[in-house]
């Protein structure tokens, strides 16, 4: 089992910044991927950004150049720095953890990000 605890999020005006953090614990050894997906009302959950245990990042086109994902393997924590936020970034952001050779995906509790125009 893997447990994820998210922090960060909140309310910000367009153009502002927020930072999300997600700490993993439990059976987390092995090659894996951590990242964030988001879900806005009435929409499907979509990938925002992810990073492998080897440090390779992946971003949705809509956030490239604005968001930066990083991880500290010593702390089993992933960070999502979100700059130049737009109203369309408003959503619940869910941290996730997945081992490469497993079908299981573990989810955090979700954190609300609201960007006002």
């Amino acid at each position: 089992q893997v447990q994820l605890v998210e922090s960060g999020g909140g309310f910000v005006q367009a153009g502002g910044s927020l930072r999300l953090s997600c700490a993993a614990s439990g059976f987390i050894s092995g090659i894996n991927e951590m990242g964030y997906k988001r879900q806005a009302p009435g929409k499907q959950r979509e990938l925002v950004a992810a990073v492998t245990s080897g440090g390779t990042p992946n971003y949705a086109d809509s956030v490239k150049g604005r968001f930066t994902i990083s991880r500290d393997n010593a702390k089993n924590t992933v960070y999502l720095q979100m700059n130049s936020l737009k109203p369309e970034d408003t959503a619940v952001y869910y941290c996730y953890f997945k081992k490469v050779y497993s079908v299981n995906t573990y989810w955090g509790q979700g954190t609300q990000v609201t960007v006002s125009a």
Side-chain angles (χ1 to χ4, degrees):
Q1 287 289 346
V2 175
Q3 295 79 41
L4 301 173
V5 177
E6 299 185 50
S7 60
F11 182 92
V12 66
Q13 291 186 331
S17 298
L18 287 172
R19 189 192 197 208
L20 306 182
S21 300
C22 177
S25 62
F27 188 56
I28 57 177
S29 62
I31 302 171
N32 61 73
E33 178 180 279
M34 291 185 70
Y36 284 90
K37 293 187 177 183
R38 67 187 180 188
Q39 188 165 20
K43 295 187 177 181
Q44 289 188 332
R45 195 171 294 190
E46 63 176 4
L47 176 69
V48 177
V51 59
T52 67
S53 48
T56 302
N58 180 37
Y59 297 95
D61 287 343
S62 59
V63 306
K64 284 180 180 177
R66 301 188 297 121
F67 291 11
T68 302
I69 193 164
S70 60
R71 66 186 288 171
D72 183 337
N73 286 333
K75 296 181 179 180
N76 299 315
T77 300
V78 65
Y79 306 95
L80 184 66
Q81 178 65 43
M82 304 185 292
N83 298 329
S84 302
L85 282 160
K86 304 176 181 180
E88 50 263 45
D89 294 318
T90 296
V92 177
Y93 285 67
Y94 295 93
C95 174
Y96 73 92
F97 174 96
K98 185 182 183 305
K99 291 186 179 181
V100 172
Y101 301 112
S102 172
V103 298
N104 296 322
T105 300
Y106 298 92
W107 297 95
Q109 76 273 20
T111 187
Q112 178 70 45
V113 171
T114 302
V115 185
S116 66

